[in-house]
Amino acid sequence: MDGNGRWATQRGRPRLFGHRAGAKRVREVVESCPDVGVEYLTIFAFSTENWRRTQTEVAGLMSLFRMYISREARALDEFGARVRFIGDRVKLDAKLVKLMDDLEVLTQENTSVHLTIALNYGGRDEVARATKRLAQDVATGNLKPEDVDEETLPKYLDTCVLPDPDLVIRTSGEARISNFLLWQSAYAEYEFIDTLWPDFTKEEFARLCASYGGRDRRFGGVKT
Ligand code: FPP
């Protein structure tokens, strides 16, 4: 969800104004998922690198996340969204973690769309945390080193119950992946679009999903 800061600056407003506008765009996109055939949506809310921002911005974002979860929980549940969080919760404040846990429990039976919110998430950090747990299983004898393969490692990732992404959309004109779902996106299709996140609409989302539907994916093989 990139471009909130620039969106605010263009309007002569503080960066948090852009993050608040960005938060307002989320519901429309989530609720359009069943119409465009998207069962799993993952949104990148805060990266392991975002702590490097000013204390004011980080504190404002954390407070926005708490507000967003409290205010949107009911609507997300009524819509039938199953919400999950990925990322390292250790560095997050206890109040926020409690809201995240409660929302996961509240929505755990829902099926209309699987919404995953990446919060304090980094692909490298996720692989490092997964490897640590995997190594612990090897050390305790629960896993044999010779059994570690491409099927085993993803079971230790935060995304272990989620399918790999088919399409990754990055807003705001930047053509880089910035540590997002590094392992999982090995065969994802990418869309880099100029729209700043607060201007992103369900119509643009539908257009990108339709365009994805026309792509020829071979996963390294040849078309038969
Ligand atoms: C990146 O834009 C955006 C963020 C770091 C925050 C994203 C958070 C929200 C949209 C709030 C929604 C919250 C939830 C829990 C769904 P940027 O600040 O890097 O923009 P810039 O590149 O223009 O500076």
PDB file of all heavy atoms in Angstrom, residues 41-79:
ATOM      1  N   LEU A  41      -6.299 -12.277  -0.136  1.00  0.00           N
ATOM      2  CA  LEU A  41      -5.701 -10.958  -0.344  1.00  0.00           C
ATOM      3  C   LEU A  41      -4.739 -10.676   0.807  1.00  0.00           C
ATOM      4  O   LEU A  41      -5.106 -10.824   1.973  1.00  0.00           O
ATOM      5  CB  LEU A  41      -6.806  -9.889  -0.360  1.00  0.00           C
ATOM      6  CG  LEU A  41      -6.329  -8.438  -0.455  1.00  0.00           C
ATOM      7  CD1 LEU A  41      -5.811  -8.125  -1.861  1.00  0.00           C
ATOM      8  CD2 LEU A  41      -7.467  -7.467  -0.118  1.00  0.00           C
ATOM      9  N   THR A  42      -3.521 -10.303   0.476  1.00  0.00           N
ATOM     10  CA  THR A  42      -2.548  -9.953   1.514  1.00  0.00           C
ATOM     11  C   THR A  42      -2.137  -8.504   1.321  1.00  0.00           C
ATOM     12  O   THR A  42      -1.755  -8.111   0.218  1.00  0.00           O
ATOM     13  CB  THR A  42      -1.302 -10.869   1.419  1.00  0.00           C
ATOM     14  OG1 THR A  42      -1.731 -12.220   1.566  1.00  0.00           O
ATOM     15  CG2 THR A  42      -0.289 -10.558   2.512  1.00  0.00           C
ATOM     16  N   ILE A  43      -2.249  -7.718   2.375  1.00  0.00           N
ATOM     17  CA  ILE A  43      -1.861  -6.312   2.260  1.00  0.00           C
ATOM     18  C   ILE A  43      -0.680  -6.024   3.194  1.00  0.00           C
ATOM     19  O   ILE A  43      -0.610  -6.529   4.305  1.00  0.00           O
ATOM     20  CB  ILE A  43      -3.048  -5.350   2.552  1.00  0.00           C
ATOM     21  CG1 ILE A  43      -3.682  -5.645   3.909  1.00  0.00           C
ATOM     22  CG2 ILE A  43      -4.094  -5.436   1.453  1.00  0.00           C
ATOM     23  CD1 ILE A  43      -4.776  -4.655   4.288  1.00  0.00           C
ATOM     24  N   PHE A  44       0.234  -5.206   2.665  1.00  0.00           N
ATOM     25  CA  PHE A  44       1.481  -4.921   3.395  1.00  0.00           C
ATOM     26  C   PHE A  44       1.294  -3.601   4.152  1.00  0.00           C
ATOM     27  O   PHE A  44       1.305  -2.529   3.554  1.00  0.00           O
ATOM     28  CB  PHE A  44       2.625  -4.799   2.377  1.00  0.00           C
ATOM     29  CG  PHE A  44       4.007  -5.064   2.944  1.00  0.00           C
ATOM     30  CD1 PHE A  44       5.111  -5.104   2.085  1.00  0.00           C
ATOM     31  CD2 PHE A  44       4.225  -5.289   4.285  1.00  0.00           C
ATOM     32  CE1 PHE A  44       6.387  -5.358   2.568  1.00  0.00           C
ATOM     33  CE2 PHE A  44       5.500  -5.544   4.792  1.00  0.00           C
ATOM     34  CZ  PHE A  44       6.578  -5.569   3.925  1.00  0.00           C
ATOM     35  N   ALA A  45       1.102  -3.706   5.472  1.00  0.00           N
ATOM     36  CA  ALA A  45       0.798  -2.512   6.259  1.00  0.00           C
ATOM     37  C   ALA A  45       2.040  -1.894   6.906  1.00  0.00           C
ATOM     38  O   ALA A  45       2.133  -0.674   7.062  1.00  0.00           O
ATOM     39  CB  ALA A  45      -0.235  -2.850   7.334  1.00  0.00           C
ATOM     40  N   PHE A  46       2.990  -2.745   7.323  1.00  0.00           N
ATOM     41  CA  PHE A  46       4.171  -2.203   8.019  1.00  0.00           C
ATOM     42  C   PHE A  46       5.295  -3.208   7.886  1.00  0.00           C
ATOM     43  O   PHE A  46       5.130  -4.387   8.205  1.00  0.00           O
ATOM     44  CB  PHE A  46       3.838  -1.978   9.501  1.00  0.00           C
ATOM     45  CG  PHE A  46       4.846  -1.145  10.241  1.00  0.00           C
ATOM     46  CD1 PHE A  46       4.761   0.244  10.229  1.00  0.00           C
ATOM     47  CD2 PHE A  46       5.878  -1.742  10.954  1.00  0.00           C
ATOM     48  CE1 PHE A  46       5.696   1.016  10.923  1.00  0.00           C
ATOM     49  CE2 PHE A  46       6.812  -0.978  11.641  1.00  0.00           C
ATOM     50  CZ  PHE A  46       6.718   0.403  11.627  1.00  0.00           C
ATOM     51  N   SER A  47       6.446  -2.742   7.419  1.00  0.00           N
ATOM     52  CA  SER A  47       7.560  -3.668   7.197  1.00  0.00           C
ATOM     53  C   SER A  47       8.544  -3.613   8.362  1.00  0.00           C
ATOM     54  O   SER A  47       8.541  -2.657   9.155  1.00  0.00           O
ATOM     55  CB  SER A  47       8.274  -3.320   5.886  1.00  0.00           C
ATOM     56  OG  SER A  47       9.095  -2.186   6.087  1.00  0.00           O
ATOM     57  N   THR A  48       9.389  -4.635   8.426  1.00  0.00           N
ATOM     58  CA  THR A  48      10.422  -4.660   9.473  1.00  0.00           C
ATOM     59  C   THR A  48      11.382  -3.473   9.317  1.00  0.00           C
ATOM     60  O   THR A  48      12.092  -3.126  10.247  1.00  0.00           O
ATOM     61  CB  THR A  48      11.220  -5.988   9.422  1.00  0.00           C
ATOM     62  OG1 THR A  48      11.546  -6.274   8.056  1.00  0.00           O
ATOM     63  CG2 THR A  48      10.418  -7.145   9.978  1.00  0.00           C
ATOM     64  N   GLU A  49      11.394  -2.862   8.134  1.00  0.00           N
ATOM     65  CA  GLU A  49      12.264  -1.702   7.887  1.00  0.00           C
ATOM     66  C   GLU A  49      11.561  -0.382   8.241  1.00  0.00           C
ATOM     67  O   GLU A  49      12.204   0.662   8.387  1.00  0.00           O
ATOM     68  CB  GLU A  49      12.690  -1.646   6.410  1.00  0.00           C
ATOM     69  CG  GLU A  49      13.668  -2.730   5.986  1.00  0.00           C
ATOM     70  CD  GLU A  49      13.035  -4.129   5.923  1.00  0.00           C
ATOM     71  OE1 GLU A  49      11.881  -4.236   5.463  1.00  0.00           O
ATOM     72  OE2 GLU A  49      13.679  -5.094   6.365  1.00  0.00           O
ATOM     73  N   ASN A  50      10.243  -0.400   8.365  1.00  0.00           N
ATOM     74  CA  ASN A  50       9.504   0.843   8.613  1.00  0.00           C
ATOM     75  C   ASN A  50       9.776   1.455   9.998  1.00  0.00           C
ATOM     76  O   ASN A  50       9.450   2.616  10.236  1.00  0.00           O
ATOM     77  CB  ASN A  50       7.992   0.638   8.421  1.00  0.00           C
ATOM     78  CG  ASN A  50       7.576   0.527   6.965  1.00  0.00           C
ATOM     79  OD1 ASN A  50       6.582  -0.116   6.632  1.00  0.00           O
ATOM     80  ND2 ASN A  50       8.336   1.153   6.058  1.00  0.00           N
ATOM     81  N   TRP A  51      10.401   0.681  10.893  1.00  0.00           N
ATOM     82  CA  TRP A  51      10.769   1.247  12.204  1.00  0.00           C
ATOM     83  C   TRP A  51      11.770   2.379  12.053  1.00  0.00           C
ATOM     84  O   TRP A  51      11.969   3.171  12.970  1.00  0.00           O
ATOM     85  CB  TRP A  51      11.376   0.166  13.117  1.00  0.00           C
ATOM     86  CG  TRP A  51      10.440  -0.949  13.443  1.00  0.00           C
ATOM     87  CD1 TRP A  51      10.454  -2.201  12.908  1.00  0.00           C
ATOM     88  CD2 TRP A  51       9.342  -0.936  14.383  1.00  0.00           C
ATOM     89  NE1 TRP A  51       9.437  -2.964  13.449  1.00  0.00           N
ATOM     90  CE2 TRP A  51       8.746  -2.212  14.360  1.00  0.00           C
ATOM     91  CE3 TRP A  51       8.804   0.042  15.234  1.00  0.00           C
ATOM     92  CZ2 TRP A  51       7.643  -2.543  15.151  1.00  0.00           C
ATOM     93  CZ3 TRP A  51       7.718  -0.295  16.025  1.00  0.00           C
ATOM     94  CH2 TRP A  51       7.149  -1.566  15.984  1.00  0.00           C
ATOM     95  N   ARG A  52      12.447   2.443  10.880  1.00  0.00           N
ATOM     96  CA  ARG A  52      13.463   3.491  10.674  1.00  0.00           C
ATOM     97  C   ARG A  52      12.837   4.860  10.430  1.00  0.00           C
ATOM     98  O   ARG A  52      13.537   5.860  10.288  1.00  0.00           O
ATOM     99  CB  ARG A  52      14.330   3.154   9.454  1.00  0.00           C
ATOM    100  CG  ARG A  52      15.115   1.889   9.654  1.00  0.00           C
ATOM    101  CD  ARG A  52      16.036   1.636   8.466  1.00  0.00           C
ATOM    102  NE  ARG A  52      16.520   0.269   8.469  1.00  0.00           N
ATOM    103  CZ  ARG A  52      16.638  -0.498   7.404  1.00  0.00           C
ATOM    104  NH1 ARG A  52      16.316  -0.021   6.205  1.00  0.00           N
ATOM    105  NH2 ARG A  52      17.071  -1.723   7.504  1.00  0.00           N
ATOM    106  N   ARG A  53      11.534   4.933  10.325  1.00  0.00           N
ATOM    107  CA  ARG A  53      10.880   6.234  10.116  1.00  0.00           C
ATOM    108  C   ARG A  53      10.907   7.039  11.416  1.00  0.00           C
ATOM    109  O   ARG A  53      11.274   6.512  12.451  1.00  0.00           O
ATOM    110  CB  ARG A  53       9.454   5.999   9.637  1.00  0.00           C
ATOM    111  CG  ARG A  53       9.469   5.297   8.304  1.00  0.00           C
ATOM    112  CD  ARG A  53       8.107   5.161   7.701  1.00  0.00           C
ATOM    113  NE  ARG A  53       8.271   4.588   6.366  1.00  0.00           N
ATOM    114  CZ  ARG A  53       7.416   4.719   5.382  1.00  0.00           C
ATOM    115  NH1 ARG A  53       6.309   5.392   5.564  1.00  0.00           N
ATOM    116  NH2 ARG A  53       7.652   4.181   4.213  1.00  0.00           N
ATOM    117  N   THR A  54      10.468   8.290  11.348  1.00  0.00           N
ATOM    118  CA  THR A  54      10.533   9.112  12.571  1.00  0.00           C
ATOM    119  C   THR A  54       9.646   8.501  13.644  1.00  0.00           C
ATOM    120  O   THR A  54       8.669   7.790  13.340  1.00  0.00           O
ATOM    121  CB  THR A  54      10.019  10.550  12.309  1.00  0.00           C
ATOM    122  OG1 THR A  54       8.637  10.465  11.934  1.00  0.00           O
ATOM    123  CG2 THR A  54      10.812  11.245  11.215  1.00  0.00           C
ATOM    124  N   GLN A  55       9.965   8.827  14.881  1.00  0.00           N
ATOM    125  CA  GLN A  55       9.202   8.292  16.016  1.00  0.00           C
ATOM    126  C   GLN A  55       7.739   8.725  15.888  1.00  0.00           C
ATOM    127  O   GLN A  55       6.827   7.953  16.186  1.00  0.00           O
ATOM    128  CB  GLN A  55       9.859   8.812  17.297  1.00  0.00           C
ATOM    129  CG  GLN A  55       9.621   7.936  18.504  1.00  0.00           C
ATOM    130  CD  GLN A  55       8.397   8.411  19.284  1.00  0.00           C
ATOM    131  OE1 GLN A  55       8.074   9.593  19.267  1.00  0.00           O
ATOM    132  NE2 GLN A  55       7.718   7.477  19.965  1.00  0.00           N
ATOM    133  N   THR A  56       7.516   9.953  15.411  1.00  0.00           N
ATOM    134  CA  THR A  56       6.145  10.459  15.268  1.00  0.00           C
ATOM    135  C   THR A  56       5.359   9.621  14.273  1.00  0.00           C
ATOM    136  O   THR A  56       4.207   9.245  14.517  1.00  0.00           O
ATOM    137  CB  THR A  56       6.180  11.927  14.739  1.00  0.00           C
ATOM    138  OG1 THR A  56       7.092  12.651  15.530  1.00  0.00           O
ATOM    139  CG2 THR A  56       4.824  12.564  14.727  1.00  0.00           C
ATOM    140  N   GLU A  57       6.004   9.298  13.121  1.00  0.00           N
ATOM    141  CA  GLU A  57       5.286   8.521  12.105  1.00  0.00           C
ATOM    142  C   GLU A  57       5.016   7.092  12.592  1.00  0.00           C
ATOM    143  O   GLU A  57       3.916   6.571  12.419  1.00  0.00           O
ATOM    144  CB  GLU A  57       6.062   8.506  10.780  1.00  0.00           C
ATOM    145  CG  GLU A  57       5.255   7.805   9.679  1.00  0.00           C
ATOM    146  CD  GLU A  57       5.837   7.962   8.280  1.00  0.00           C
ATOM    147  OE1 GLU A  57       6.806   8.738   8.106  1.00  0.00           O
ATOM    148  OE2 GLU A  57       5.315   7.298   7.365  1.00  0.00           O
ATOM    149  N   VAL A  58       6.030   6.480  13.220  1.00  0.00           N
ATOM    150  CA  VAL A  58       5.854   5.098  13.698  1.00  0.00           C
ATOM    151  C   VAL A  58       4.748   5.053  14.758  1.00  0.00           C
ATOM    152  O   VAL A  58       3.831   4.223  14.687  1.00  0.00           O
ATOM    153  CB  VAL A  58       7.188   4.532  14.253  1.00  0.00           C
ATOM    154  CG1 VAL A  58       6.959   3.217  14.979  1.00  0.00           C
ATOM    155  CG2 VAL A  58       8.202   4.340  13.127  1.00  0.00           C
ATOM    156  N   ALA A  59       4.794   5.985  15.709  1.00  0.00           N
ATOM    157  CA  ALA A  59       3.770   5.996  16.768  1.00  0.00           C
ATOM    158  C   ALA A  59       2.391   6.244  16.156  1.00  0.00           C
ATOM    159  O   ALA A  59       1.396   5.617  16.548  1.00  0.00           O
ATOM    160  CB  ALA A  59       4.103   7.057  17.799  1.00  0.00           C
ATOM    161  N   GLY A  60       2.334   7.141  15.173  1.00  0.00           N
ATOM    162  CA  GLY A  60       1.058   7.437  14.507  1.00  0.00           C
ATOM    163  C   GLY A  60       0.522   6.226  13.769  1.00  0.00           C
ATOM    164  O   GLY A  60      -0.685   5.943  13.803  1.00  0.00           O
ATOM    165  N   LEU A  61       1.417   5.497  13.120  1.00  0.00           N
ATOM    166  CA  LEU A  61       0.991   4.288  12.396  1.00  0.00           C
ATOM    167  C   LEU A  61       0.487   3.224  13.370  1.00  0.00           C
ATOM    168  O   LEU A  61      -0.552   2.599  13.150  1.00  0.00           O
ATOM    169  CB  LEU A  61       2.142   3.732  11.554  1.00  0.00           C
ATOM    170  CG  LEU A  61       2.315   4.372  10.176  1.00  0.00           C
ATOM    171  CD1 LEU A  61       3.661   3.990   9.572  1.00  0.00           C
ATOM    172  CD2 LEU A  61       1.194   3.970   9.226  1.00  0.00           C
ATOM    173  N   MET A  62       1.210   3.031  14.476  1.00  0.00           N
ATOM    174  CA  MET A  62       0.792   2.016  15.460  1.00  0.00           C
ATOM    175  C   MET A  62      -0.587   2.367  16.021  1.00  0.00           C
ATOM    176  O   MET A  62      -1.443   1.507  16.191  1.00  0.00           O
ATOM    177  CB  MET A  62       1.820   1.894  16.596  1.00  0.00           C
ATOM    178  CG  MET A  62       3.147   1.318  16.134  1.00  0.00           C
ATOM    179  SD  MET A  62       2.953  -0.347  15.429  1.00  0.00           S
ATOM    180  CE  MET A  62       4.267  -0.371  14.220  1.00  0.00           C
ATOM    181  N   SER A  63      -0.783   3.653  16.266  1.00  0.00           N
ATOM    182  CA  SER A  63      -2.091   4.068  16.788  1.00  0.00           C
ATOM    183  C   SER A  63      -3.166   3.891  15.702  1.00  0.00           C
ATOM    184  O   SER A  63      -4.298   3.465  15.997  1.00  0.00           O
ATOM    185  CB  SER A  63      -1.947   5.494  17.299  1.00  0.00           C
ATOM    186  OG  SER A  63      -3.056   6.251  17.037  1.00  0.00           O
ATOM    187  N   LEU A  64      -2.797   4.150  14.452  1.00  0.00           N
ATOM    188  CA  LEU A  64      -3.748   3.934  13.345  1.00  0.00           C
ATOM    189  C   LEU A  64      -4.102   2.446  13.211  1.00  0.00           C
ATOM    190  O   LEU A  64      -5.263   2.096  12.977  1.00  0.00           O
ATOM    191  CB  LEU A  64      -3.145   4.464  12.039  1.00  0.00           C
ATOM    192  CG  LEU A  64      -3.967   4.296  10.756  1.00  0.00           C
ATOM    193  CD1 LEU A  64      -5.296   5.047  10.850  1.00  0.00           C
ATOM    194  CD2 LEU A  64      -3.197   4.803   9.521  1.00  0.00           C
ATOM    195  N   PHE A  65      -3.124   1.568  13.377  1.00  0.00           N
ATOM    196  CA  PHE A  65      -3.411   0.128  13.287  1.00  0.00           C
ATOM    197  C   PHE A  65      -4.389  -0.286  14.396  1.00  0.00           C
ATOM    198  O   PHE A  65      -5.330  -1.034  14.145  1.00  0.00           O
ATOM    199  CB  PHE A  65      -2.124  -0.711  13.400  1.00  0.00           C
ATOM    200  CG  PHE A  65      -1.143  -0.472  12.271  1.00  0.00           C
ATOM    201  CD1 PHE A  65       0.228  -0.517  12.489  1.00  0.00           C
ATOM    202  CD2 PHE A  65      -1.595  -0.203  10.986  1.00  0.00           C
ATOM    203  CE1 PHE A  65       1.124  -0.285  11.451  1.00  0.00           C
ATOM    204  CE2 PHE A  65      -0.701   0.028   9.939  1.00  0.00           C
ATOM    205  CZ  PHE A  65       0.660  -0.010  10.182  1.00  0.00           C
ATOM    206  N   ARG A  66      -4.155   0.242  15.612  1.00  0.00           N
ATOM    207  CA  ARG A  66      -5.063  -0.106  16.727  1.00  0.00           C
ATOM    208  C   ARG A  66      -6.470   0.386  16.415  1.00  0.00           C
ATOM    209  O   ARG A  66      -7.454  -0.334  16.561  1.00  0.00           O
ATOM    210  CB  ARG A  66      -4.574   0.515  18.044  1.00  0.00           C
ATOM    211  CG  ARG A  66      -3.371  -0.188  18.652  1.00  0.00           C
ATOM    212  CD  ARG A  66      -3.144   0.242  20.093  1.00  0.00           C
ATOM    213  NE  ARG A  66      -2.871   1.668  20.217  1.00  0.00           N
ATOM    214  CZ  ARG A  66      -1.644   2.215  20.144  1.00  0.00           C
ATOM    215  NH1 ARG A  66      -0.586   1.459  19.980  1.00  0.00           N
ATOM    216  NH2 ARG A  66      -1.488   3.512  20.260  1.00  0.00           N
ATOM    217  N   MET A  67      -6.544   1.633  15.906  1.00  0.00           N
ATOM    218  CA  MET A  67      -7.855   2.217  15.596  1.00  0.00           C
ATOM    219  C   MET A  67      -8.528   1.458  14.465  1.00  0.00           C
ATOM    220  O   MET A  67      -9.713   1.154  14.506  1.00  0.00           O
ATOM    221  CB  MET A  67      -7.675   3.671  15.178  1.00  0.00           C
ATOM    222  CG  MET A  67      -8.422   4.624  16.064  1.00  0.00           C
ATOM    223  SD  MET A  67      -7.652   6.238  16.053  1.00  0.00           S
ATOM    224  CE  MET A  67      -7.467   6.632  14.340  1.00  0.00           C
ATOM    225  N   TYR A  68      -7.716   1.138  13.436  1.00  0.00           N
ATOM    226  CA  TYR A  68      -8.269   0.446  12.263  1.00  0.00           C
ATOM    227  C   TYR A  68      -8.879  -0.894  12.687  1.00  0.00           C
ATOM    228  O   TYR A  68     -10.002  -1.214  12.328  1.00  0.00           O
ATOM    229  CB  TYR A  68      -7.166   0.211  11.205  1.00  0.00           C
ATOM    230  CG  TYR A  68      -7.670  -0.589  10.028  1.00  0.00           C
ATOM    231  CD1 TYR A  68      -8.261   0.047   8.937  1.00  0.00           C
ATOM    232  CD2 TYR A  68      -7.599  -1.978  10.017  1.00  0.00           C
ATOM    233  CE1 TYR A  68      -8.763  -0.682   7.880  1.00  0.00           C
ATOM    234  CE2 TYR A  68      -8.092  -2.712   8.959  1.00  0.00           C
ATOM    235  CZ  TYR A  68      -8.670  -2.056   7.888  1.00  0.00           C
ATOM    236  OH  TYR A  68      -9.189  -2.787   6.845  1.00  0.00           O
ATOM    237  N   ILE A  69      -8.144  -1.644  13.480  1.00  0.00           N
ATOM    238  CA  ILE A  69      -8.627  -2.978  13.863  1.00  0.00           C
ATOM    239  C   ILE A  69      -9.881  -2.845  14.733  1.00  0.00           C
ATOM    240  O   ILE A  69     -10.875  -3.537  14.507  1.00  0.00           O
ATOM    241  CB  ILE A  69      -7.519  -3.795  14.572  1.00  0.00           C
ATOM    242  CG1 ILE A  69      -6.347  -4.018  13.606  1.00  0.00           C
ATOM    243  CG2 ILE A  69      -8.058  -5.138  15.060  1.00  0.00           C
ATOM    244  CD1 ILE A  69      -5.106  -4.641  14.225  1.00  0.00           C
ATOM    245  N   SER A  70      -9.860  -1.926  15.707  1.00  0.00           N
ATOM    246  CA  SER A  70     -11.048  -1.772  16.565  1.00  0.00           C
ATOM    247  C   SER A  70     -12.254  -1.356  15.749  1.00  0.00           C
ATOM    248  O   SER A  70     -13.350  -1.879  15.937  1.00  0.00           O
ATOM    249  CB  SER A  70     -10.839  -0.713  17.647  1.00  0.00           C
ATOM    250  OG  SER A  70      -9.555  -0.763  18.152  1.00  0.00           O
ATOM    251  N   ARG A  71     -12.050  -0.398  14.846  1.00  0.00           N
ATOM    252  CA  ARG A  71     -13.195   0.146  14.108  1.00  0.00           C
ATOM    253  C   ARG A  71     -13.687  -0.755  12.997  1.00  0.00           C
ATOM    254  O   ARG A  71     -14.876  -0.748  12.662  1.00  0.00           O
ATOM    255  CB  ARG A  71     -12.830   1.507  13.491  1.00  0.00           C
ATOM    256  CG  ARG A  71     -12.763   2.560  14.536  1.00  0.00           C
ATOM    257  CD  ARG A  71     -12.721   3.928  13.881  1.00  0.00           C
ATOM    258  NE  ARG A  71     -12.433   4.943  14.883  1.00  0.00           N
ATOM    259  CZ  ARG A  71     -11.885   6.110  14.616  1.00  0.00           C
ATOM    260  NH1 ARG A  71     -11.557   6.409  13.386  1.00  0.00           N
ATOM    261  NH2 ARG A  71     -11.676   6.974  15.570  1.00  0.00           N
ATOM    262  N   GLU A  72     -12.794  -1.493  12.378  1.00  0.00           N
ATOM    263  CA  GLU A  72     -13.181  -2.282  11.197  1.00  0.00           C
ATOM    264  C   GLU A  72     -13.553  -3.723  11.538  1.00  0.00           C
ATOM    265  O   GLU A  72     -14.077  -4.431  10.689  1.00  0.00           O
ATOM    266  CB  GLU A  72     -12.037  -2.295  10.172  1.00  0.00           C
ATOM    267  CG  GLU A  72     -11.801  -0.970   9.487  1.00  0.00           C
ATOM    268  CD  GLU A  72     -12.952  -0.543   8.570  1.00  0.00           C
ATOM    269  OE1 GLU A  72     -13.345  -1.303   7.672  1.00  0.00           O
ATOM    270  OE2 GLU A  72     -13.462   0.574   8.779  1.00  0.00           O
ATOM    271  N   ALA A  73     -13.274  -4.149  12.771  1.00  0.00           N
ATOM    272  CA  ALA A  73     -13.479  -5.561  13.122  1.00  0.00           C
ATOM    273  C   ALA A  73     -14.889  -6.021  12.780  1.00  0.00           C
ATOM    274  O   ALA A  73     -15.080  -7.062  12.139  1.00  0.00           O
ATOM    275  CB  ALA A  73     -13.191  -5.776  14.604  1.00  0.00           C
ATOM    276  N   ARG A  74     -15.875  -5.220  13.187  1.00  0.00           N
ATOM    277  CA  ARG A  74     -17.266  -5.643  12.977  1.00  0.00           C
ATOM    278  C   ARG A  74     -17.601  -5.753  11.494  1.00  0.00           C
ATOM    279  O   ARG A  74     -18.184  -6.741  11.037  1.00  0.00           O
ATOM    280  CB  ARG A  74     -18.189  -4.639  13.669  1.00  0.00           C
ATOM    281  CG  ARG A  74     -19.477  -5.314  14.038  1.00  0.00           C
ATOM    282  CD  ARG A  74     -20.222  -4.537  15.070  1.00  0.00           C
ATOM    283  NE  ARG A  74     -21.615  -4.448  14.629  1.00  0.00           N
ATOM    284  CZ  ARG A  74     -22.455  -3.563  15.092  1.00  0.00           C
ATOM    285  NH1 ARG A  74     -22.083  -2.668  15.964  1.00  0.00           N
ATOM    286  NH2 ARG A  74     -23.690  -3.567  14.667  1.00  0.00           N
ATOM    287  N   ALA A  75     -17.230  -4.718  10.728  1.00  0.00           N
ATOM    288  CA  ALA A  75     -17.539  -4.707   9.293  1.00  0.00           C
ATOM    289  C   ALA A  75     -16.855  -5.876   8.587  1.00  0.00           C
ATOM    290  O   ALA A  75     -17.452  -6.542   7.723  1.00  0.00           O
ATOM    291  CB  ALA A  75     -17.106  -3.385   8.672  1.00  0.00           C
ATOM    292  N   LEU A  76     -15.605  -6.128   8.952  1.00  0.00           N
ATOM    293  CA  LEU A  76     -14.873  -7.234   8.312  1.00  0.00           C
ATOM    294  C   LEU A  76     -15.546  -8.559   8.641  1.00  0.00           C
ATOM    295  O   LEU A  76     -15.718  -9.420   7.775  1.00  0.00           O
ATOM    296  CB  LEU A  76     -13.415  -7.262   8.797  1.00  0.00           C
ATOM    297  CG  LEU A  76     -12.491  -6.177   8.236  1.00  0.00           C
ATOM    298  CD1 LEU A  76     -11.205  -6.079   9.051  1.00  0.00           C
ATOM    299  CD2 LEU A  76     -12.155  -6.455   6.761  1.00  0.00           C
ATOM    300  N   ASP A  77     -15.971  -8.706   9.888  1.00  0.00           N
ATOM    301  CA  ASP A  77     -16.626  -9.953  10.298  1.00  0.00           C
ATOM    302  C   ASP A  77     -17.976 -10.095   9.597  1.00  0.00           C
ATOM    303  O   ASP A  77     -18.313 -11.163   9.077  1.00  0.00           O
ATOM    304  CB  ASP A  77     -16.784  -9.964  11.819  1.00  0.00           C
ATOM    305  CG  ASP A  77     -17.349 -11.285  12.297  1.00  0.00           C
ATOM    306  OD1 ASP A  77     -16.889 -12.335  11.789  1.00  0.00           O
ATOM    307  OD2 ASP A  77     -18.239 -11.287  13.167  1.00  0.00           O
ATOM    308  N   GLU A  78     -18.755  -9.015   9.570  1.00  0.00           N
ATOM    309  CA  GLU A  78     -20.074  -9.092   8.921  1.00  0.00           C
ATOM    310  C   GLU A  78     -19.946  -9.394   7.440  1.00  0.00           C
ATOM    311  O   GLU A  78     -20.786 -10.065   6.852  1.00  0.00           O
ATOM    312  CB  GLU A  78     -20.851  -7.790   9.145  1.00  0.00           C
ATOM    313  CG  GLU A  78     -21.486  -7.774  10.523  1.00  0.00           C
ATOM    314  CD  GLU A  78     -22.136  -6.453  10.875  1.00  0.00           C
ATOM    315  OE1 GLU A  78     -22.171  -5.546  10.007  1.00  0.00           O
ATOM    316  OE2 GLU A  78     -22.588  -6.331  12.035  1.00  0.00           O
ATOM    317  N   PHE A  79     -18.873  -8.910   6.841  1.00  0.00           N
ATOM    318  CA  PHE A  79     -18.657  -9.199   5.416  1.00  0.00           C
ATOM    319  C   PHE A  79     -18.242 -10.661   5.210  1.00  0.00           C
ATOM    320  O   PHE A  79     -18.360 -11.209   4.120  1.00  0.00           O
ATOM    321  CB  PHE A  79     -17.577  -8.260   4.856  1.00  0.00           C
ATOM    322  CG  PHE A  79     -17.323  -8.481   3.402  1.00  0.00           C
ATOM    323  CD1 PHE A  79     -18.266  -8.106   2.460  1.00  0.00           C
ATOM    324  CD2 PHE A  79     -16.162  -9.116   2.969  1.00  0.00           C
ATOM    325  CE1 PHE A  79     -18.057  -8.351   1.115  1.00  0.00           C
ATOM    326  CE2 PHE A  79     -15.946  -9.358   1.627  1.00  0.00           C
ATOM    327  CZ  PHE A  79     -16.895  -8.972   0.696  1.00  0.00           C
TER     328      PHE A  79
END
